[in-house]
């Protein structure tokens, strides 16, 4: 029986579209937390959390390409760090400081030490009160050159990846009772998604095709590990990506999907994630009751503003960030 082969270089070709799809997943999965809806629809929306793992996968993929270019040009790794961190931190700081910092100044009860810990994303590891995606990406960016070097050691990429995968899949089985340690353990599958992205980038550069059965095997392993890792949903959604990603690649290639709106979403993926998690707290400040009528019944109007306003805000931040980064 003829099996389906997936060309990994398609990830590079359609990375922007895939980022756009991941963005849609995030918008969908956040809906049940803000909008009244039937439970069956809420469960369907939660599948959008697959976008989180896809973000991590594609982030690792992009980082591998970025590191390859820097090493090929023999440029300073310090320059690489500056470029990568500016790309994620500038939009984050713009969103955090305006209007967040202004509101903090106006509030006499502001806990400035807590605000500083949230600004630096340190508080996430104990209180889970800020952007987890960036809190995880920052240390991954820091060690990604080491991961890159280890993956290429003796040119045995998949074997070296397997050596890293073993502890990253087994450690989440543990529970310590310490919030910070358990939070780190909880996010190890996200680190695994990041590393898988780097590995797939190596083979994408070589235009390697992979039998779809290998994707299925990876998905089965991750879904099985979910039950061993105290139902760690990071592993579950990573497993779903092993099934969804090859399907998306084959569909996009088959129909040569180049929708401008999907490319646009992919371009502002980071900013849209940040605005979608930040804007709800500001929308709640809007007085919705007029003449004893709640015009925001079920928060449909409110979350509509979060989605549409958040995307517009994300686009403006993306443009402003590009100007700031260019001058740094």
């Amino acid at each position: 029986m003829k099996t389906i082969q997936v060309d990994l270089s398609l990830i590079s070709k359609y990375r922007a579209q895939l980022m756009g799809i991941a963005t849609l997943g995030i918008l969908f999965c956040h809906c049940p937390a803000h909008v009244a809806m039937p439970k069956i629809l809420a469960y369907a929306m939660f599948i959008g959390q697959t976008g989180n793992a896809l973000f991590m996968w594609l982030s690792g993929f992009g980082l591998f390409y970025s590191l390859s270019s820097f090493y090929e040009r023999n440029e300073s790794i310090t320059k690489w760090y500056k470029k990568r961190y500016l790309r994620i931190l500038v939009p984050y700081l713009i969103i955090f400081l305006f209007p967040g910092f202004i509101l903090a100044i106006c509030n006499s009860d502001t806990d400035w030490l807590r605000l500083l810990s949230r600004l630096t994303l340190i508080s996430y590891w104990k209180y889970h009160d800020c952007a987890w995606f960036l809190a995880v990406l920052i240390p991954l960016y820091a060690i990604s050159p080491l991961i890159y070097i280890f993956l290429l050691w003796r040119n045995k990429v998949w074997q070296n990846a397997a050596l890293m995968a073993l502890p990253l899949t087994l450690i989440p089985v543990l529970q310590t009772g310490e919030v910070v340690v358990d939070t780190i353990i909880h996010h190890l599958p996200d680190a695994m998604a990041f590393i898988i992205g780097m590995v797939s980038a190596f083979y994408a550069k070589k235009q390697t095709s992979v039998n779809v059965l290998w994707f299925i095997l990876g998905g089965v392993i991750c879904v099985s590990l979910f039950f061993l890792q105290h139902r760690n949903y990071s592993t579950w959604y990573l497993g779903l990506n092993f099934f969804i990603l090859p399907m998306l690649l084959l569909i996009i290639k088959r129909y040569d999907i180049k929708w401008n709106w999907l490319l646009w979403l992919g371009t502002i993926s980071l900013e849209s994630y940040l605005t979608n998690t930040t804007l709800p707290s500001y929308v709640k400040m809007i007085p919705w009751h007029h003449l004893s009528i709640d015009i925001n019944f079920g928060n449909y109007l409110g979350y509509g503003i979060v989605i549409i306003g958040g995307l517009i805000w994300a686009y403006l931040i993306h443009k402003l960030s590009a100007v700031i980064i260019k001058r740094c």
Side-chain angles (χ1 to χ4, degrees), residues 173-197:
V173 175
L174 306 174
Q175 290 288 305
T176 67
E178 295 292 331
V179 175
V180 175
V181 176
D182 285 345
T183 301
I184 294 171
I185 290 174
H186 172 79
H187 284 293
L188 289 181
D190 294 310
M192 189 68 244
F194 186 88
I195 292 171
I196 290 171

Side-chain angles (χ1 to χ4, degrees), residues 1 29 36 49 71 77 91 96 105 118-119 138 214 226 239 243 258 290 294 296 303 322-323:
M1 183 178 69
C29 78
Q49 291 191 53
Y71 283 124
I77 195 64
F96 188 92
I105 292 175
R118 289 185 66 240
L119 172 64
I138 287 172
W214 287 109
F226 163 76
F243 300 112
K258 296 177 181 177
H290 297 279
D294 183 6
N296 188 31
Y303 196 64
V323 173

Side-chain angles (χ1 to χ4, degrees), residues 182-231:
D182 285 345
T183 301
I184 294 171
I185 290 174
H186 172 79
H187 284 293
L188 289 181
D190 294 310
M192 189 68 244
F194 186 88
I195 292 171
I196 290 171
M198 295 186 74
V199 173
S200 59
F202 171 81
Y203 290 107
K205 286 175 69 70
K206 294 181 175 295
Q207 297 185 323
T208 303
S209 291
V210 176
N211 192 313
V212 74
L213 293 177
W214 287 109
F215 280 97
I216 294 174
L217 177 62
V220 169
I221 290 172
C222 287
V223 170
S224 300
L225 283 170
F226 163 76
F227 296 99
L228 295 175
Q229 297 175 350
H230 306 282
R231 300 186 183 276

Side-chain angles (χ1 to χ4, degrees), residues 87-103:
R87 174 64 189 94
I88 62 173
L89 293 180
V90 169
Y92 165 70
L93 290 174
I94 293 173
I95 292 173
F96 188 92
L97 296 176
F98 307 102
F101 189 71
I102 296 173
L103 291 174

